[in-house]
Amino acid sequence: MAIRDAFDLTFSGATEVGFTSYNQAVRELQCFIGDPVASIDRAIAEDPGFVMAHVFKGYLFGLATEREATAVAKACHEAALPLAATTREQAHVAALGHLADGRWHQASRILEDITIEAPRDGLALQVGHQIDFFTGNARMLRDRIARALPSWQSGMPGYHAMLGMQAFGLEEMGDYIRAEQLGRSAIDIEPRDGWAQHAVAHVMEMQSRQRDGIAWMRANPEAWTRESFLQVHNWWHLALFHYDLGETNEVLALYDGPIYGVHSTMALNMVDASAILWRLYLGGIDVGNRWAAIAANWRKAGAGNYAFNDAHAMMAFVGAGLDAPAQTLLETQREAMRGSDDNADFTRDVGHPLTLAIKAFGEGNYTETVRHIRPIRAIAHRFGGSHAQRDVIDLTLIEAALRAGDGALARALAAERSMARPDSPLSALLSSRAANLSEN
């Protein structure tokens, strides 16, 4: 059994019925809506020998950055290994195997090669794009899609997703004008494309266009929230615009509502919850007992699986005043650094020193915070995330310099931020505070 899709790609072991469910899962993933796991499970139930259905499910769980999800990804890889497959599909199976074993970079390279040969393989493009995000590879976020885009055209299924991914890659490489154009074009085609929605929000965040960002996010929230598993992250983007404007009540209302009103245990959602509370913490805002729930869920999640998550877990432990889990996290990171997977490097290069810095900040040891963060700023992309997400590192460093009374460093960092974000009220506030420190 084999099916050929609209792009002339072969899908071994598939029937029309199973492939219909597979296609639904693809569309759901491209928009970040619905339940692609349920859709792909239906495809597997219909066609147990459908190799790409097993691979697709494995990718979903392999990209979750959670230990239990990784176990599912490994099981999917094992199920796919003996099945009939084309050369392209065999490459997908190999890529999944590397991803499930924590070899993100090797998986990325195989997916890159797949799309050089088959530029209309939308799944390979999207999974590769997500790996580029999780490994902080801005160049490939842009170029992986750029290579394939000439083979796509308006009217093709999933074309909006290609535009949305290209928009995000352009934004991460600082090409804001074209990024916004492509992101808006993607939304014009498919208003429910949460990734394209978020790409335009990133542009406005980086350009300090807070009011434009609020207007963009509030214009049609029904489109990007309905059944969307990216909605928490997009609500987080809206909260960032209000945060930069100093509108703390709006930020807390968003936190208590769509960001963490429901105490999600998904790592991606917990990252956003920790990240927004930490920004408020840096500003001396009392967030009451909000830290307790997120810290409790980070304790259940464990640590040492993905360094980016670990840093955000430490924020929650510091905010909640929990020393024991903070110490356990550090010990788990030390164990992770002895591993052979890519996370060992993520943790060694950036994650562990940043986690130590966050703990030191919570202890009031601001000089120690500065000491840990300064060497990693230029390489912080290595442990993943976007420019907007990693901005919390700079904010922590600036606040630590201010609290340490290091006027020269604080003024230098504030001037740097004002150059990068000249229209940001937060930049102006930090510059004012730095200027008020006496010369050292």
Side-chain angles (χ1 to χ4, degrees):
M1 292 183 297
I3 293 286
R4 283 190 175 271
D5 71 357
F7 301 108
D8 202 33
L9 299 175
T10 298
F11 289 82
S12 304
T15 64
E16 290 288 350
V17 175
F19 192 66
T20 297
S21 294
Y22 178 88
N23 265 340
Q24 181 177 341
V26 169
R27 166 170 160 69
E28 288 170 333
L29 181 59
Q30 287 177 337
C31 289
F32 289 80
I33 60 173
D35 189 349
V37 174
S39 297
I40 206 65
D41 278 343
R42 287 195 297 273
I44 292 170
E46 288 288 343
D47 300 327
F50 185 176
V51 62
M52 285 306 298
H54 293 282
V55 170
F56 185 102
K57 182 176 180 178
Y59 283 150
L60 290 178
F61 283 88
L63 293 170
T65 69
E66 298 171 2
R67 195 174 302 278
E68 291 183 2
T70 300
V72 177
K74 290 181 177 180
C76 291
H77 178 244
E78 290 297 321
L81 274 173
L83 300 179
T86 65
T87 300
R88 179 185 65 87
E89 290 170 327
Q90 288 172 350
H92 270 288
V93 174
L96 173 59
H98 287 304
L99 178 62
D101 285 336
R103 295 188 293 268
W104 295 76
H105 296 302
Q106 286 176 270
S108 171
R109 177 57 64 85
I110 292 173
L111 289 164
E112 178 185 350
D113 289 343
I114 290 173
T115 53
I116 288 171
E117 293 293 327
R120 292 181 181 176
D121 187 330
L123 181 63
L125 288 169
Q126 188 170 11
V127 174
H129 186 74
Q130 289 299 310
I131 291 175
D132 295 336
F133 170 72
F134 284 117
T135 58
N137 191 339
R139 174 76 183 266
M140 281 302 292
L141 277 167
R142 180 192 66 186
D143 293 348
R144 183 185 301 271
I145 309 302
R147 295 170 179 177
L149 206 53
S151 297
W152 291 74
Q153 60 190 26
S154 181
M156 287 182 172
Y159 181 62
H160 66 90
M162 303 306 116
L163 295 181
M165 288 188 287
Q166 185 69 88
F168 184 59
L170 289 168
E171 177 276 321
E172 288 295 286
M173 288 297 289
D175 192 344
Y176 301 131
I177 293 175
R178 287 201 299 164
E180 183 170 352
Q181 290 171 343
L182 289 186
R184 287 181 178 274
S185 294
I187 293 299
D188 287 342
I189 296 169
E190 176 49 81
R192 299 189 68 190
D193 186 333
W195 194 255
Q197 177 75 26
H198 124 288
V200 176
H202 269 273
V203 170
M204 294 169 176
E205 168 68 19
M206 297 307 296
Q207 292 182 321
S208 296
R209 293 163 52 197
Q210 298 85 12
R211 294 299 178 195
D212 286 348
I214 292 169
W216 170 250
M217 300 306 290
R218 293 198 182 276
N220 188 14
E222 163 68 11
W224 56 263
T225 60
R226 180 161 51 96
E227 299 179 326
S228 173
F229 48 92
L230 195 63
Q231 66 168 290
V232 168
H233 187 65
N234 276 331
W235 284 117
W236 176 81
H237 273 285
L238 177 58
L240 284 191
F241 294 126
H242 287 293
Y243 167 77
D244 207 335
L245 293 170
E247 297 172 351
T248 302
N249 288 339
E250 292 284 353
V251 175
L252 289 173
L254 288 167
Y255 183 89
D256 292 337
I259 293 177
Y260 214 62
V262 175
H263 296 160
S264 172
T265 57
M266 287 181 58
L268 299 180
N269 293 341
M270 291 196 292
V271 162
D272 289 333
S274 291
I276 202 65
L277 285 189
W278 185 256
R279 283 166 169 80
L280 295 173
Y281 181 88
L282 293 175
I285 304 299
D286 182 3
V287 300
N289 64 356
R290 291 178 177 87
W291 280 117
I294 183 65
N297 282 342
W298 276 122
R299 292 187 74 170
K300 295 173 188 174
N305 194 56
Y306 181 54
F308 191 83
N309 293 352
D310 293 345
H312 289 81
M314 182 59 84
M315 294 174 191
F317 297 150
V318 168
L322 301 176
D323 187 63
Q327 292 293 347
T328 299
L329 191 159
L330 292 173
E331 292 166 7
T332 304
Q333 282 193 320
R334 293 184 186 105
E335 178 65 27
M337 287 188 285
R338 290 192 282 270
S340 59
D341 60 2
D342 288 341
N343 186 57
D345 295 329
F346 302 160
T347 305
R348 185 182 307 109
D349 293 348
V350 181
H352 188 60
L354 177 59
T355 304
L356 287 170
I358 292 166
K359 187 172 187 296
F361 189 98
E363 294 167 347
N365 194 341
Y366 305 120
T367 300
E368 188 75 358
T369 299
V370 170
R371 186 180 72 82
H372 283 301
I373 290 181
R374 287 190 68 185
I376 67 171
R377 291 180 74 217
I379 60 169
H381 63 279
R382 292 182 187 175
F383 90 144
S386 64
H387 294 305
Q389 289 176 306
R390 293 190 301 270
D391 187 43
V392 75
I393 301 173
D394 286 339
L395 291 172
T396 303
L397 176 59
I398 295 171
E399 187 61 35
L402 288 166
R403 296 193 188 190
D406 190 338
L409 178 60
R411 284 188 292 275
L413 294 171
E416 170 191 296
R417 186 177 186 83
S418 293
M419 178 61 72
R421 297 169 181 253
D423 298 319
S424 163
L426 180 59
S427 294
L429 174 63
L430 295 172
S431 293
S432 175
R433 290 178 60 199
N436 287 335
L437 287 178
S438 60
E439 294 282 346
N440 291 324

